[in-house]
Every structure is written in structure tokens, then in C-alpha cells.
Amino acid sequence: MSSLLPLTQKILGLIIAPANTSFSLDSTVNDFATLPPCLHTVLPDRPEAVLALAREKLHTWPYAEVPGCWRRAFVDASLVLAVKRVREALLHEGEEDIGQWARGKDEWEEEQEAGNSDGQQPVNNAGRVERASSRKRRRDQEDRYEGPSSDGEASGSQEQGKDEGWVEEVVGILDMAVIMAGGIERESLIEALLSALQTHIESHPSAPAPSAKRPKLLPNPTDADDDENDEFPTSSPPGISVPQIAFQVPTRDSPPSMLAFESHMRQDGDVNGGPLVIKGALEHWPAMGERPWRSRGYLMHRTFGGRRLVPVEVGRSYTDEKWGQRIITFGAFMDEYLIRKGYGHGVHADEEEDEEEEEIQGAKIGYLAQHDLFAQIPSLRMDICIPDYCYTTPPPPPPPPPPPPSPQDRETPQLSEPLLNAWFGPAGTVSPLHTDPYHNILCQVVGRKYVRLYSPNQTSKLYPRGVEQGGVVDMSNTSQVDDVEVEEEANADLKDNNGGNGNEGEDNGDEKFPLFRTACYQETILNEGECLYIPAGWWHYVRSLTVSFSVSFWWN
């Protein structure tokens, strides 16, 4: 019997429980612990309705101001709906019979009655046993299922779509609970259900693997697209320039001790000691060896055959007018943005060369950027380690310059643990010139990146933006100088280099940002296996030179 059955019973027992009943999962006192009573009553029978209402509420307030009960409603309704779909699918497969489900339901009700000592009535579980009408309704839905949508998700034959539809639906429901509502203390249940579901699918002889469209690439002997060589390329594709380094960031060929690192951070007294490239600090990471992130096959396995949903930024940079966001499957992200645009260095057999060049230059680049992928997919978190340097006590960030005041001037909250974010995308992705309030260890796991950094004392020459979109969005941590101008100035500096910047007083014909050319900076190409310390308050511009997978660790 599938382990999914007892797990679904446990999940329902935790969520659809008598009001005010305490469970270990909700042992802390917070506003996530309870749902409005009316929702709690209808949740067992109408999770779709509760989910629709909660989704509407999530969009009623700014995200940080959404009442916790509505986030809880979104997550709990997602879990109940996912369990419902799993049970329907198992019944449809013929693995469990209706009597087993009924016995499971009755046993749970008896346990609730036996353990109910406070006079409360047991929860009405009507509808928890799947009826013939609901099974027929689900079959009708499966018959209409034509595979994932055509906007980049993987697709297969019609028969595969019928079999795979419920799996992808369940995975999508659970991932959206994390992406949209944060999981809010249900993360362990979500991960347990996804893990059990993946085990069930992989061990089920009739369950097909997800079928993804493979792009047809022109022959390229250096990048074989087969199972024997599924690693991302190490060279930059056509159209991606590799800068020559004029002002290299100081580099350590071996990891410094904790004492030496703290000494570096404080070498100028109260002013941050500056960026530092550290080699050899990631050699013990499983992601660099036995569980390689450079392997497409490994990443697909860790993401449930590419079924997991991820938020993707579309466009070269978040400052571009065409920039947008999508939530798509990891497999679709790999196929559409990495394999087609980063992995295959040639052009598609059915595309013109100039069209591919336009794509490479950023008309349609996808970037999984600043996403806590490791909270969503804990199995990937096991492949990396938080650098010990994140547990040092760094100097405080430099104070922001006097006017203009902005929301950024508010005190940065103290972190109890480092904040982890994933940065995964093809060659050509860009993080525009900006600054962050936290100290950062940027670890390069796959590929290479060009990074250019400016000290906080250069801020007046970097033309910070202000509060935009009618006072709603604070962009004061981002420069008005776009990425093209940043790299054009770097090339000009290289030509004029006489051992220093050597460019004071010149504006290179640019009257819009005349001081930018006079700003002093450091730069580096961050290679696979290296990490870069970026002090709080330092401006930095980042561009991927190859397919790149990085992890940032923010701390203070």
C-alpha cells in the first residue's frame, strides 16, 4: 500500500481538526495558528472556495501587511486540496479501494471522538470519502487535460498528459503555497507530501516521467546534448563579452582564518575593509562534487523531474522596461532559458542567427534571482554549507548619505541567521549597479560572473535613483547608470589605464552622468568554486558570463 495514504490522513488530521485544538506544528503563539471559524467549517468540503477567497485577500493588502490568518488559509486550503487530488488519483489508478479509504476515515473519526475531552463535537468530515460522482468528475477533468500550458512548461503526448496531469497539479498547488504565502509553519508537511509523492511516482512502474521538448540545436561537438554529458558549458556563448580586468579585487588563494577574515573586515577601523575574493572555500560542498549542480540531470531529479514551480524574472535587468516575472516549472525554466539560450552555443535549427543574438542580448532572458529556493526545496539546501565567515561580527554598514531621505534610511533589522538566496540563469543575466544593507558572501557554484564594485564613498558619483511609481517603490539603492554604460566605462578605463583609474575630469561625452566616469572601482571575474565577500553598503554590478548558479549569504 502506498505510503501516501497514511500521510494524507495525518495531514488532514492536523489541518481539519476541531477549532482551538493545539498541535506541535502550531506550538508557537502567532496569528497564523487559527483560521476564521467559518472557513474552518467549510475547508474539508470546499478547499477550492477557501483557496480562491484567500488568494483574493493576499492581493487586497501589500504583502507585508496581509493578516496572518489569510496566509494560513491559503496554505491550509492548498494542502487539503492537494491531499484531495492525491486521493482521487490513487483511486483512479486502482491502487486503493474505496473501503480502505472509508476505513481510514472512520478510524480517524473514532480517534478524534476518543481523544475529545473538552466537550467539542468532532469535525464534520463529510466529503472526505471520494464518491463515484467525484471520481467521474475527476476523470472528466483528466480527459480534458492536454498537458501543461504552452507558455514554456514541458509537454508530452496526450496520454502522458492524462497520467501526469494530477501530479503536476498537486506539485503546483503545494509550491504556490510556499511561493505565495510562505508556507507559514506548514513547510514540513508540504515537503513530506512532495517527497512521498516523488517516491510513489518513481517507484510506480506505470508512471511516466515528465516529457520535455528538447530544442533542436545545430551540431556542436563541444556541447553534447545527451545523457553521458549533461553538464553546463564552461565557455561563454557567442554575443557574451568577457571583460579584461584592470582593477582586480584583492584575492586570497586559500581560505583565511576567522580571525584573519575579521581583521580584513575591520582593517580600516570603522570603515569596511573592502571586497575580498576567497578561493578554495567551497571544495567540501556536495554541490561541487558528489551532488553536482553543474549537472542538468541532478537538478532535474532534485526538482521532482523538473515539476517544481519557481519564480523567474524575465528580462535582462529589473530596471528594464520589458522586465517582468513568471512562475513556471523548473523544467520549463531549464528548457526555455538555459538549454536553449545558455547551454546550446549554436542557434536553433529553426531560428535565424540574428534572432538568437537578440535573445542572448536580453530581449528574453530568464533569471531565477534572489529566491529562497532552499526553503522551498530543502534537498538542495543539503548540498551547500553556510560559510563560517557569516558567523563573524562585521562592522556596521556605513551611514547613508544625508538627503535625500528615503525608506532605505530606516535601521536594518538584526538577522538571527544568514539569509540564503539562489541566483540561477543563463549567460547575459544582469544585476544592475545597486547596494544592499547586509554583508554578503557570494558563492559561485556553477559558471562565471563578472562583478564590479564601488565603495560607499563613491555614492555621489553613482547617481542613485529615488522613490518611484508615485512613492510606492523605493529604488534609492539602485543606480540610474544602466548596465551598458557601466561596461562601456569599464572598456574606456582599460584603454586609458596608467596604473590607476586615470580618468578624472573626463566625461566620455556623457553629459547625463558626468561624474560616473570619475568613480573608482574594483572588479573581478568570479570563477566556479570561488566566493566573494561584499561589505554592506558597497555598490556592485553583476553579469553572468556563462550559465551560472550562485548562492548569496546575507548577514549582519
Side-chain angles (χ1 to χ4, degrees), residues 387-498:
D388 291 342
Y389 305 127
C390 294
Y391 296 102
T392 58
T393 303
S406 75
Q408 183 180 321
D409 298 343
R410 293 175 297 186
E411 183 178 355
T412 301
Q414 187 69 29
L415 300 177
S416 59
E417 289 290 333
L419 292 178
L420 281 64
N421 281 303
W423 308 81
F424 185 29
T429 56
V430 167
S431 292
L433 188 59
H434 70 286
T435 182
D436 297 311
Y438 300 105
H439 294 263
N440 182 11
I441 298 285
L442 179 64
C443 299
Q444 191 65 22
V445 185
V446 177
R448 297 183 298 157
K449 282 183 171 176
Y450 171 69
V451 187
R452 190 174 181 188
L453 305 105
Y454 295 82
S455 169
N457 62 25
Q458 301 294 301
T459 298
S460 62
K461 302 177 182 180
L462 304 182
Y463 300 90
R465 301 166 77 123
V467 179
E468 301 178 357
Q469 297 184 21
V472 175
V473 179
D474 180 17
M475 294 285 287
S476 58
N477 73 327
T478 303
S479 172
Q480 298 179 56
V481 183
D482 64 31
D483 56 284
V484 174
E485 292 172 299
V486 169
E487 299 222 23
E488 283 180 349
E489 297 298 342
N491 293 334
D493 284 341
L494 189 63
K495 294 177 182 179
D496 296 341
N497 182 24
N498 294 313

Side-chain angles (χ1 to χ4, degrees), residues 544-556:
S544 297
L545 305 178
T546 65
V547 170
S548 172
F549 203 151
S550 312
V551 184
S552 62
F553 298 86
W554 286 355
W555 90 102
N556 59 10

Side-chain angles (χ1 to χ4, degrees), residues 275-287:
L276 182 69
V277 173
I278 302 173
K279 298 183 178 182
L282 312 182
E283 293 176 353
H284 63 292
W285 282 18

